[in-house]
Amino acid sequence: MDLEYFKEWVYKEFRIDLKAYKPTQLHRRILSLMSRIGVNSVDEYINLLKKDAGQREKFLDFITINVTEFFRNPDIFNELRNKIKDELLPLNKNLKIWSAACSIGAEPYSIAMILDEIAPGGRHSIIATDIDKGILERAKRGEYSESEIKNIKNDQLNKYFKKQGENYVIDNKIKSIVTFKKHDLILDKYETDFDLIVCRNVVIYFNQDIKDDIYRKFHGSLKKSGLLFVGATESIYNYKDFGFDKASTFIYRKV
C-alpha cells in the first residue's frame, strides 16, 4: 500500500495532514477500513472516496476518531469541576473556554452543565471545535442516545435533557453557551485569552513533534494561570518545557 501517495491525496482533497499521525497506527486503521468495505488498493479506495459521499463521510469519521461521551472518566471530570470552582472563577466570573476536537459535543456540553451548576450567573462562552464538519452539525443538534449519556446523573438528566423518542435532546440554555466551529489543530491558527482549554484523547494519535507543537500553541492561547485539561492516557511528562506546571494528574497550569 502506497501510504505516502494516499496521505498526499487526502491532504489535497480534505486538508487533513495524515503525516502528523503515528504511521503504524494510521496504516493499521486505513487497512482495517479498506478491508471492511472490500477495497484492495489505494487507487481503488481513492476512486471510491471521489464518487461515494457516504464512504467519504465514513472515512472522515473513522480517521478523525470520533469517540466520546458525557463526563468521560467521571472522577477526572470532577477534579476539573473543582479547579474551575476554586481556581478559575475567583479570577474571572465570565470564563472563556475552548473544547478542542469536540466530536459530537458531549465534552463542551458537559462543561456547560458544570458552569450552570457552579456559576449560573456568569456570561461564559465555550468554543467547541473539530475538523469534521459532519460531526459538528450533529453536535449542534445536541441529540444523544441512551449509551452516550450513561455518565449523566438523574438530576442532571431531568434538568438538562428532554426525551424525544429513543433519544435525549439537550436544553437550549446549555446549547446557548457553546459555539461550534471547524478547526484543524495542526494547520489552523489558535485563538487566544482562554481560561481553560480541554483537549482529550486526541494528541495520542499524533507524532511527537506535532504533539509538542500543539502543547506550545495551547500555552500561547491560554491566559496566565489558565488550565489545560488532557485525556486519561495523555500525561505530559515534560510539561515544564511548554511553560506549564502541574495542577492535577491530567490538568496543567500556565505559568
Side-chain angles (χ1 to χ4, degrees), residues 190-205:
Y190 288 24
E191 288 191 36
T192 57
D193 294 322
F194 290 105
D195 299 283
L196 169 67
I197 295 175
V198 180
C199 185
R200 308 182 72 219
N201 309 299
V202 176
V203 299
I204 51 169
Y205 298 100

Side-chain angles (χ1 to χ4, degrees), residues 213-229:
D213 188 50
I214 287 172
Y215 290 142
R216 288 189 193 97
K217 289 192 281 190
F218 279 159
H219 179 272
S221 289
L222 283 166
K223 295 176 183 175
K224 184 175 173 54
S225 301
L227 299 178
L228 171 63
F229 181 39

Side-chain angles (χ1 to χ4, degrees), residues 31-239:
L31 283 175
S32 172
L33 186 55
M34 288 172 60
S35 175
R36 288 185 200 178
I37 57 179
V39 172
N40 298 311
S41 71
V42 167
D43 286 335
E44 188 181 349
Y45 191 36
I46 287 174
N47 287 332
L48 181 64
L49 293 175
K50 283 180 179 177
K51 65 185 181 183
D52 190 324
Q55 289 298 334
R56 283 200 301 275
E57 188 174 336
K58 283 183 181 179
F59 168 72
L60 291 171
D61 189 54
F62 191 72
I63 212 67
T64 51
I65 315 144
N66 288 308
V67 178
T68 187
E69 62 191 34
F70 282 86
F71 300 102
R72 188 173 183 176
N73 312 114
D75 290 345
I76 300 173
F77 241 98
N78 194 51
E79 183 69 20
L80 175 68
R81 179 192 183 99
N82 293 335
K83 292 294 178 186
I84 293 172
K85 184 178 180 181
D86 298 337
E87 293 192 21
L88 296 183
L89 286 170
L91 296 175
N92 185 4
K93 292 181 180 179
N94 303 309
L95 298 179
K96 182 183 178 184
I97 295 169
W98 178 15
S99 173
C102 69
S103 187
I104 60 174
E107 184 175 86
Y109 288 142
S110 295
I111 298 165
M113 285 187 276
I114 289 173
L115 292 174
D116 186 69
E117 289 174 341
I118 65 177
R123 290 177 294 176
H124 312 294
S125 66
I126 300 172
I127 298 169
T129 65
D130 202 276
I131 196 172
D132 187 334
K133 284 183 179 178
I135 216 72
L136 286 171
E137 288 304 313
R138 192 195 153 186
K140 288 176 186 176
R141 292 197 298 271
E143 187 173 326
Y144 299 96
S145 66
E146 194 156 342
S147 64
E148 289 165 340
I149 59 163
K150 64 184 180 183
N151 292 328
I152 297 179
K153 298 173 183 175
N154 283 335
D155 58 337
Q156 291 174 319
L157 189 63
N158 293 332
K159 184 176 181 181
Y160 297 121
F161 290 83
K162 289 181 181 177
K163 192 165 186 184
Q164 292 186 0
E166 295 299 311
N167 293 331
Y168 294 82
V169 179
I170 200 155
D171 185 76
N172 285 333
K173 180 183 179 182
I174 297 301
K175 279 187 183 179
S176 70
I177 301 172
V178 184
T179 301
F180 290 97
K181 297 180 181 180
K182 185 177 184 295
H183 182 270
D184 187 321
L185 282 169
I186 299 165
L187 300 175
D188 293 337
K189 290 182 179 180
Y190 288 24
E191 288 191 36
T192 57
D193 294 322
F194 290 105
D195 299 283
L196 169 67
I197 295 175
V198 180
C199 185
R200 308 182 72 219
N201 309 299
V202 176
V203 299
I204 51 169
Y205 298 100
F206 298 146
N207 65 48
Q208 194 60 52
D209 288 344
I210 295 295
K211 258 192 224 182
D212 292 350
D213 188 50
I214 287 172
Y215 290 142
R216 288 189 193 97
K217 289 192 281 190
F218 279 159
H219 179 272
S221 289
L222 283 166
K223 295 176 183 175
K224 184 175 173 54
S225 301
L227 299 178
L228 171 63
F229 181 39
V230 302
T233 58
E234 295 174 323
S235 290
I236 309 172
Y237 298 106
N238 58 334
Y239 54 86

